[in-house]
Amino acid sequence: MSMLSHINNLKDTQCIVDTLRGLVSDNECARCGKCVFGYEGVTQLQLILGDIAEKKGKSTDLTQMQELCQMMKSQSLCETGEEIGAAVLAAIDAYRGDFEDHIGKKGCRAGVCRKFMTYHILAENCTGCGDCMDACEEDAVLGKAKFVHIIDQKECTQCGACLEACEEDAVVQAGTVKPKCPKRPIPCKRR
């Protein structure tokens, strides 16, 4: 399947940034090195898409990718480099809003890019056992015994250890829609 076909058949559960990142990385131009615009173009695209997926995107990234892909389309020595340039340009045109959401750090619509996911503790399920606190190496989970714990989003590294440690299904992962959770530890209703 061509890159354009992948882009045109993107499902709601797929992220354009993550999909492009994979397609560009797995492309033969990434290993070829015969032409500057193919090899270096793919290398630069990998870096930019990686930054966008890791919440490090800059407002100039889309313009930089567009300029780079225009050069790839016209200067690559093989059809593969040209196809990559055309596919990325088509993706930017079709999914500009998704790219802008990633760069503006609003989130990943599909909930695929891990850095945009956040973890939360649901008050109605939390028993105050402390397993999530013990599992968190960053001390991002706050609370005490028999109190609903909360996750300090500024300290959380999105490792998921708290989710794995919780046997009560109190810890959930959220994308752009966040659950309503207490702002500070409160006594547990569930024992």
Side-chain angles (χ1 to χ4, degrees):
M1 186 183 286
S2 72
M3 285 184 73
L4 276 173
S5 296
H6 278 289
I7 293 165
N8 292 333
N9 295 316
L10 203 67
K11 297 177 182 132
D12 288 341
T13 57
Q14 294 175 297
C15 168
I16 188 62
V17 175
D18 183 64
T19 300
L20 272 182
R21 189 178 181 191
L23 291 171
V24 168
S25 295
D26 291 341
N27 202 287
E28 61 193 60
C29 281
R31 297 174 296 282
C32 175
K34 289 183 182 174
C35 70
V36 172
F37 288 100
Y39 179 75
E40 282 299 320
V42 165
T43 302
Q44 290 302 312
L45 286 172
Q46 286 174 318
L47 292 171
I48 295 168
L49 290 167
D51 282 350
I52 293 171
E54 295 290 321
K55 249 182 161 172
K56 299 175 190 170
K58 298 180 288 299
S59 59
T60 57
D61 284 345
L62 284 181
T63 303
Q64 187 177 4
M65 283 197 314
Q66 287 174 311
E67 290 171 0
L68 178 62
C69 289
Q70 289 291 358
M71 294 301 287
M72 288 177 73
K73 272 179 58 177
S74 63
Q75 301 293 322
S76 292
L77 297 178
C78 68
E79 289 179 12
T80 305
E82 294 169 6
E83 179 190 354
I84 294 169
V88 172
L89 287 171
I92 292 171
D93 286 343
Y95 298 97
R96 180 173 289 278
D98 288 355
F99 281 102
E100 290 171 348
D101 282 351
H102 277 75
I103 292 168
K105 296 178 181 56
K106 293 179 186 117
C108 174
R109 174 189 54 81
V112 172
C113 296
R114 194 168 150 209
K115 284 291 184 176
F116 289 96
M117 302 304 289
T118 53
Y119 292 89
H120 304 272
I121 300 174
L122 302 175
E124 61 270 12
N125 293 358
C126 183
T127 60
C129 67
D131 290 346
C132 56
M133 288 177 56
D134 295 339
C136 182
E137 293 182 14
E138 303 299 322
D139 294 328
V141 180
L142 309 173
K144 58 185 179 181
K146 300 188 179 165
F147 273 70
V148 173
H149 298 68
I150 61 167
I151 298 175
D152 183 347
Q153 298 300 328
K154 292 178 183 165
E155 297 296 323
C156 182
T157 60
Q158 291 86 26
C159 69
C162 57
L163 181 69
E164 293 173 21
C166 184
E167 294 178 7
E168 305 297 327
D169 294 326
V171 180
V172 294
Q173 188 179 37
T176 52
V177 178
K178 311 293 185 201
K180 187 172 174 115
C181 297
K183 303 275 186 229
R184 56 182 171 67
I186 59 173
C188 288
K189 294 178 183 172
R190 186 172 171 217
R191 303 264 175 200

